[in-house]
């Protein structure tokens, strides 16, 4: 929006799809200002994980704490990213202590920076004990972090202990002295992050493009899979019913945001909770029938026409008159209505 460009801050939810090695991630940028809390609350209902960004030169701020508390109340797995580590005055160790003090001791560094301020050009992947330089090249040589070896090994050991604590089988394996495999570590980290017992702390410089590829790879590896997630709702008769978030289930979708475009008309942003949606499909909402005339993928303010979309994806549908935020669309033959979000009362009318 022009106002967002002018003020250099987010005012509304923006969707940016990322494709990486056959995986699709829909990144939703949310406004942090309290004035737009409705945007944030509506979108949190459809996300599977969150990236909480902390300024490496400032540390934890009031807004950081508010966002953290909101994410914890919503039981959303969180990744904390310490950004701007290439700037003068950035201090990762100080910010990490700040995070542990103000946000929680479950925050564990999965990365440790190499270099300081304008010399920051890479980091150690503490989980895999490998160094990553700014060109993305992974080097196993410990000489890259020889001066920080004791510190990094201590952090790695803390992660292994946390992994072992997520599962009795892994715990027995760990205390018997048996080395945990890569599959064991991935499984343990996924369980810990999903339960909120582990909060990965990563490092980055968005300006230098350092750490972003590793962030995306860790999101894919460690966020819990949604394929078998069970979503609860009610059917036509008010009886409880469920859907799994996969393409083989009957179609259903939850509308988390509506907006009006002067050219496209009303736009409904929705997450497909189950099944498949195609152009020409008939759907129902609040006992009204609709035919899907246009289906779009979303990238910022750009809508791109597509023919079909699957469970877990986020799409925009235009001209669904009478459909608003918190509504459910579903297959006419298998109706489901998901619990609508209750927004806080308005302060100014």
């Amino acid at each position: 929006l022009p106002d967002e460009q002018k003020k250099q801050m987010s005012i509304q939810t923006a969707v940016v799809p990322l494709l990486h090695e056959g995986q699709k991630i829909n990144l939703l940028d949310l406004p942090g200002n309290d004035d737009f809390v409705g945007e944030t609350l509506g979108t949190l209902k459809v996300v599977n994980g969150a990236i909480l960004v902390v300024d490496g030169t400032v540390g934890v701020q009031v807004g950081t704490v508010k966002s953290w508390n909101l994410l914890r109340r919503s039981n959303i797995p969180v990744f904390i990213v310490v950004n701007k580590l290439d700037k003068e005055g950035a201090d990762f160790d100080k910010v990490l202590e700040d995070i542990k003090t103000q946000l929680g001791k479950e925050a564990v560094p999965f990365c440790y920076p190499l270099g300081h301020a304008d010399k920051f050009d890479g980091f150690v992947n503490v989980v895999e004990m490998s160094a990553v330089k700014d060109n993305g090249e992974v080097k196993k040589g410990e000489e890259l972090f020889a001066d920080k070896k004791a510190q990094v090994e201590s952090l790695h050991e803390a992660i292994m202990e946390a992994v072992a604590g997520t599962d009795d089988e892994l715990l027995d394996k760990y205390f018997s002295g048996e080395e945990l495999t890569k599959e064991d570590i991935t499984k343990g980290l996924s369980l810990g992050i999903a339960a909120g017992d582990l909060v990965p702390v990563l490092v980055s410089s968005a300006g230098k493009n350092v750490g972003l590829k590793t962030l995306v790879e860790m999101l894919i590896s460690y966020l819990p899979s949604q394929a078998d997630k069970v979503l609860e709702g009610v059917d036509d008769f008010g009886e409880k019913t469920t859907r799994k978030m996969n393409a083989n289930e009957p179609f259903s979708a939850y509308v988390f945001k509506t907006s009006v475009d002067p050219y496209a008309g009303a736009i409904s942003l929705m997450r497909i909770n189950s099944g498949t949606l195609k152009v020409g499909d008939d759907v129902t909402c609040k006992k009204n029938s609709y035919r899907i005339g246009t289906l779009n993928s979303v990238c910022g303010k750009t809508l791109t026409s597509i023919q079909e979309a699957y469970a877990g994806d986020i799409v925009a549908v235009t001209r669904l008159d009478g459909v608003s935020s918190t509504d459910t669309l579903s297959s006419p033959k298998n109706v489901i209505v998901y619990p609508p979000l209750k927004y806080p009362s308005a302060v100014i009318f």
Side-chain angles (χ1 to χ4, degrees), residues 99-113:
I99 289 169
K100 285 180 174 290
T101 302
Q102 296 201 56
L103 304 185
K105 296 197 180 298
E106 58 268 38
V108 177
F110 278 33
C111 298
Y112 194 84

Side-chain angles (χ1 to χ4, degrees), residues 329-343:
L329 301 181
S330 61
S331 164
K333 296 179 181 177
N334 292 277
V335 173
I336 186 172
V337 177
Y338 295 109
L341 174 72
K342 292 180 181 177
Y343 287 96

Side-chain angles (χ1 to χ4, degrees), residues 53-71:
V53 184
V54 177
D55 188 328
T57 64
V58 179
V60 175
Q61 298 172 277
V62 173
T64 318
V65 176
K66 284 184 177 180
S67 296
W68 168 261
N69 290 337
L70 182 57
L71 291 167

Side-chain angles (χ1 to χ4, degrees), residues 11-25:
I11 291 174
Q12 64 175 10
T13 303
V15 183
V16 181
L18 305 176
L19 297 172
H20 182 71
E21 295 182 355
Q23 302 280 348
K24 182 178 183 182
I25 298 175

Side-chain angles (χ1 to χ4, degrees), residues 250-265:
F251 165 74
S252 67
Y254 179 84
V255 179
F256 64 92
K257 175 180 168 64
T258 52
S259 59
V260 178
D261 183 270
Y263 304 105

Side-chain angles (χ1 to χ4, degrees), residues 15-330:
V15 183
V16 181
L18 305 176
L19 297 172
H20 182 71
E21 295 182 355
Q23 302 280 348
K24 182 178 183 182
I25 298 175
N26 285 304
L27 183 70
L28 294 101
D29 175 46
L30 302 180
N33 191 297
D34 285 347
D35 291 343
F36 312 109
V37 69
E39 286 278 333
T40 301
L41 292 174
T43 305
L44 285 184
K45 192 168 169 66
V46 299
V47 300
N48 304 323
I51 303 165
L52 185 63
V53 184
V54 177
D55 188 328
T57 64
V58 179
V60 175
Q61 298 172 277
V62 173
T64 318
V65 176
K66 284 184 177 180
S67 296
W68 168 261
N69 290 337
L70 182 57
L71 291 167
R72 295 308 262 180
R73 285 199 303 271
S74 305
N75 295 316
I76 294 171
V78 183
F79 282 64
I80 297 175
V81 177
V82 181
N83 189 40
K84 297 187 180 179
L85 287 174
D86 59 319
K87 303 296 182 186
E88 196 62 45
D91 187 335
F92 177 75
D93 290 324
K94 184 179 177 184
V95 172
L96 180 61
E97 189 58 38
D98 205 13
I99 289 169
K100 285 180 174 290
T101 302
Q102 296 201 56
L103 304 185
K105 296 197 180 298
E106 58 268 38
V108 177
F110 278 33
C111 298
Y112 194 84
L114 295 174
H116 180 71
D118 59 349
K119 297 284 194 302
F120 171 68
D121 65 349
F123 54 92
V124 181
N125 182 328
V126 179
V127 179
E128 299 179 359
M129 292 296 283
S130 59
V132 181
K133 300 298 277 184
D134 60 350
N135 60 6
E137 183 183 354
V138 178
K139 295 181 179 178
K140 298 287 184 184
E142 293 184 354
E143 68 276 2
L144 283 167
F145 52 95
D147 58 330
K148 297 183 175 73
K149 189 177 177 184
Q151 193 169 6
V152 170
E153 284 180 344
S154 172
L155 293 172
H156 178 75
E157 195 59 33
I159 290 176
M160 292 304 103
E161 286 181 17
V163 166
T166 61
D167 183 86
D168 289 341
E169 190 179 321
L170 295 178
L171 196 63
D172 292 340
K173 200 172 181 181
Y174 178 74
F175 281 118
S176 67
E178 195 176 339
E179 193 170 335
L180 298 177
T181 66
K182 189 174 181 180
E183 289 73 24
D184 290 337
I185 294 168
T186 301
K187 176 188 173 185
L189 292 178
S190 295
L191 289 170
I193 291 168
D197 298 329
L198 267 177
V199 177
V201 179
L202 282 68
V203 301
S204 77
S205 161
K208 281 187 169 182
N209 195 21
V210 178
L212 304 185
K213 183 169 179 281
T214 297
L215 167 61
V216 173
E217 288 171 346
M218 286 191 174
L219 289 173
I220 293 170
S221 296
Y222 304 136
L223 274 183
S225 169
Q226 302 302 303
D228 295 315
K229 184 176 181 179
V230 177
L231 301 164
E232 296 182 348
V234 295
D235 61 17
D236 257 349
F237 305 101
E239 299 291 327
K240 287 184 179 179
T241 186
T242 60
R243 294 284 186 276
K244 282 188 176 180
M245 195 180 280
N246 65 58
N248 299 319
E249 293 271 298
F251 165 74
S252 67
Y254 179 84
V255 179
F256 64 92
K257 175 180 168 64
T258 52
S259 59
V260 178
D261 183 270
Y263 304 105
I267 300 173
S268 301
L269 269 180
M270 62 187 75
R271 182 182 70 177
I272 302 177
N273 283 349
S274 62
T276 305
L277 182 62
K278 299 178 183 177
V279 173
D281 280 355
D282 291 319
V283 299
T284 186
C285 176
K286 294 184 289 195
K287 299 188 177 179
N288 295 321
S289 296
Y290 300 89
R291 177 158 289 180
I292 303 299
T294 59
L295 189 59
N296 304 277
S297 65
V298 188
C299 184
K301 61 182 179 182
T302 304
L303 301 183
T304 303
S305 180
I306 56 176
Q307 292 302 304
E308 61 183 333
Y310 307 92
D313 208 353
I314 288 174
V315 295
V317 180
T318 58
R319 297 186 174 88
L320 294 176
D321 296 332
V323 173
S324 56
S325 299
T326 75
D327 283 344
T328 300
L329 301 181
S330 61

